[in-house]
């Protein structure tokens, strides 16, 4: 599913019209899709009080079409015209002839009528301004949003759904107007808008639902920025033939662990196994093997000779290089630390020639790259997936962490192109960028995941998929998706604070199971009050 800017969406609609689907038809489809979504969220639409805030543009037109259908299905609908538009008068006059209450906000009693309607509303549909907003919100529109914010502050506040984007949210940058009101859900039309996945806008969008409005297939084919979805992830999962054995599902070798980071290799290895790798081997300093094996009993082990307790000798790289020829994936980094001999060992593994299996480079493995030279990518010719968090990305690029966070997608894409590597920039809405300039975005932003060790789980998840023969481009993104979905599942049970990285591990196979059944992100909903 392609993620678009406002201009790209306009071009898509123009191409749809050139292909025979008029903008009037798209508006009718959009309004029906919104109304049908609302109907699907409630036990019984009959008698439910719905207020539709209508702006002067196409967003308002979509809202008027939705109001027509909601009225026909038995809802008690009030529309508030925040600004007049002669193009809407036919739709408004039709609604006046039904049971719909029409409020003209610029009438003397308009604000009082709207305040009363919002106090009684169970659902409010924000159809004031969509992707065309270009200046600060003032006048009647600002007054309507002030009244909406007031109603939302009440104990029995209405459920707020934004049509396409919350009013005042920039569809490209995620910037928000000071008048913008946070929504419970955003029903974005046709294609998801980039600004919904950027901060601060993402905090105002609530749950994002992408609604089909009948845009023909292929009109967005030139766009190379994609949103990961359940359907895509389910179709990308590796096969599990009934006749398979552990050799069928591949082997992953994970190089990690040090005195201060004993848990990291356990998390990575267990994640690789939990997503289906047939065999996982941990290459760890020999003095740590028994401590790690007490927790991670399933992997096999390659004990590494030590420079000092918990620190491998630089020459251990030769032992690893010899062993890795029988593996389909190599992960370097979880918990290896930054001791001098460890860094030398990692550098030998990363910069040696030959064609070993694809490498996932994480944690201090990335710091080895960043400190090796100013143009480390010219020396690092191996096929690789890099998994930096923003701080590690700053070291790799020479930029500040603030710079990285402000332009996450752009910097990830630029870096993947420059380095010739797959880049997984971790964080809320993780970005996976490719050397050909394309990218994928995770739909998950979950504060429960902000805890030590979750990155080790992600790196192991990607390595486990590579071991099963998933192509690196898909393994990186599918690993991100499974990791995010596991986090959603775990935090649904545990809450948004106190979840540990290990809580993700049993959720990984459950996420795979649900994706195979076609219900990966199915939400546990409480039926809406009637």
């Amino acid at each position: 599913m392609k993620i678009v800017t406002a201009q790209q969406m306009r071009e898509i609609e123009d191409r749809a019209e050139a292909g025979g689907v008029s903008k009037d038809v798209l508006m009718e489809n959009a309004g029906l899709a919104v109304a049908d979504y609302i109907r699907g969220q409630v036990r019984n639409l009959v008698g439910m009080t719905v207020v539709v805030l209508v702006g002067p543009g196409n967003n308002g037109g979509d809202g008027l079409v939705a109001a027509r259908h909601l009225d026909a299905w038995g809802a008690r609908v009030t529309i508030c015209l925040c600004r007049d538009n002669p193009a809407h008068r036919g739709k408004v006059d039709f609604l006046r002839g039904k049971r719909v209450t029409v409020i003209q906000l610029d009438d003397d009693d308009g604000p009082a009528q709207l305040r009363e309607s919002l106090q009684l509303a169970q659902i409010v549909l924000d159809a004031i301004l969509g992707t065309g907003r270009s200046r600060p919100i003032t006048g009647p529109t600002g007054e309507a949003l002030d009244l909406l914010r007031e109603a939302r502050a009440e104990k029995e506040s209405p459920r707020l759904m934004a049509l396409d984007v919350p009013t005042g949210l920039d569809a490209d940058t995620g910037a928000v107007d000071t008048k913008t009101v946070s929504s419970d859900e955003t029903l974005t039309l046709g294609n998801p808008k980039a600004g919904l996945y950027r901060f601060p806008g993402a905090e105002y969008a609530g749950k994002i639902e992408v609604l089909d409005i009948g845009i023909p297939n292929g009109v967005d084919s030139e766009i190379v920025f994609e949103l990961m979805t359940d359907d895509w992830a389910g179709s990308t999962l590796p096969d599990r033939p009934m006749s398979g054995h552990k050799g069928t599902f591949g082997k992953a070798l994970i190089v990690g662990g040090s005195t201060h980071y004993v848990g990291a290799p356990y998390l990575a290895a267990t994640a690789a196994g939990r997503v289906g790798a047939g065999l996982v081997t941990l290459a760890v300093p020999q003095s740590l093997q028994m401590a790690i094996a007490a927790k991670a009993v399933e992997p096999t082990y390659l004990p590494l000779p030590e420079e000092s307790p918990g620190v491998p000798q630089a020459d251990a790289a030769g032992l690893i290089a010899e062993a890795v020829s029988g593996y389909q994936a190599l992960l370097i980094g979880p918990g290896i630390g930054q001791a001098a001999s460890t860094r030398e060992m990692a550098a030998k593994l990363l910069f040696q020639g030959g064609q070993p299996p694809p490498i996932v480079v994480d944690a201090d493995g990335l710091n080895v790259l960043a400190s090796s030279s100013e143009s480390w990518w010219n020396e690092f010719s191996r096929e690789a997936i890099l998994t930096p968090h923003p701080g590690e990305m700053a070291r790799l690029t020479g930029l500040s962490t603030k710079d990285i966070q402000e332009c996450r997608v752009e910097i990830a894409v630029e870096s993947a192109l420059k380095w010739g590597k797959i880049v997984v920039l971790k964080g809320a809405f993780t970005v996976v960028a490719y050397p050909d300039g394309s990218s994928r975005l995770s739909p998950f932003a979950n504060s429960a995941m902000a805890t030590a060790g979750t990155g080790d789980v992600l790196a192991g998840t990607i390595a486990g998929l590579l071991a099963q023969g998933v192509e690196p481009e898909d393994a990186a993104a599918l690993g991100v998706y499974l990791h995010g979905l596991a986090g959603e599942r775990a935090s649904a049970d545990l809450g948004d604070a106190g979840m540990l990285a290990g809580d993700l591990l049993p959720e990984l196979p459950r996420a795979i199971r649900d994706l195979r059944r076609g219900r990966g992100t199915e939400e546990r909903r409480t039926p809406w009050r009637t």
Side-chain angles (χ1 to χ4, degrees), residues 71 265 343 373 402 463 481 508 527:
D71 170 68
R343 295 170 66 85
S373 73
K402 182 175 181 290
Y481 197 84
L508 286 168

Side-chain angles (χ1 to χ4, degrees), residues 164-338:
D164 216 14
V165 296
T167 292
L169 188 151
D170 189 295
D172 296 348
T173 67
V176 293
D177 192 275
T178 57
K179 297 285 188 180
T180 300
V181 180
S182 294
S183 298
D184 295 304
E185 288 137 296
T186 294
L187 314 181
T188 194
L189 305 174
N191 290 77
K193 312 307 184 291
L196 297 173
Y197 303 95
R198 294 174 180 256
F199 291 97
E203 295 176 332
Y204 287 77
K207 183 175 181 289
I208 300 168
E209 289 284 343
V210 184
L211 303 184
D212 182 3
I213 61 172
I215 292 173
N217 291 333
V219 296
D220 60 358
S221 59
E222 295 179 359
I223 297 168
V224 292
F225 187 24
E226 300 225 10
L227 182 69
M228 303 176 205
T229 65
D230 275 1
D231 288 344
W232 168 82
S235 69
T236 310
L237 290 169
D239 293 334
R240 302 289 295 186
M242 291 179 65
S243 60
H245 50 81
K246 66 183 180 183
T248 307
F249 304 118
K251 301 197 300 182
L253 177 60
I254 297 174
V255 182
S258 61
T259 301
H260 296 294
Y261 303 106
V262 176
Y266 155 73
L267 292 169
T270 307
R274 288 291 193 181
V275 297
L279 175 70
V280 181
T281 298
L282 277 174
V284 298
Q286 60 187 13
S287 66
L288 302 180
Q289 179 185 349
M290 295 308 296
I292 298 171
K295 181 74 170 176
V297 298
E298 292 88 0
T300 61
Y301 286 84
L302 178 63
L304 302 179
E306 294 179 318
E307 181 79 16
S308 60
V311 178
Q313 296 176 6
D315 289 344
L319 186 64
I320 297 167
E322 182 179 351
V324 79
S325 61
Y327 289 77
Q328 288 72 49
L330 173 62
L331 166 57
I332 300 174
I336 62 172
Q338 299 194 55

Side-chain angles (χ1 to χ4, degrees), residues 427-428 445-455 483 487 491 495-501 504:
N446 185 347
S447 63
M449 304 274 279
T451 185
T454 54
H483 182 257
S491 61
D496 61 2
M499 189 179 83
L500 301 178
L504 299 175

Side-chain angles (χ1 to χ4, degrees), residues 5-71:
T5 64
Q7 178 60 33
Q8 286 171 331
M9 193 67 222
R10 286 190 286 271
E11 292 170 357
I12 286 170
E13 291 173 349
D14 288 342
R15 287 194 287 271
E17 188 165 46
V21 182
S22 72
K23 291 176 182 174
D24 286 340
V25 169
L26 291 177
M27 181 176 289
E28 285 293 321
N29 291 347
L32 175 58
V34 168
D36 195 51
Y37 176 85
I38 294 172
R39 179 168 62 171
Q41 297 300 296
V42 300
R43 281 197 183 121
N44 185 5
L45 193 57
V46 175
M48 177 160 285
T49 53
V50 180
V51 173
V52 183
L53 303 176
V54 178
N58 290 338
N59 198 251
D62 297 336
L64 290 170
V65 174
R68 188 183 79 224
H69 289 292
L70 293 169
D71 170 68

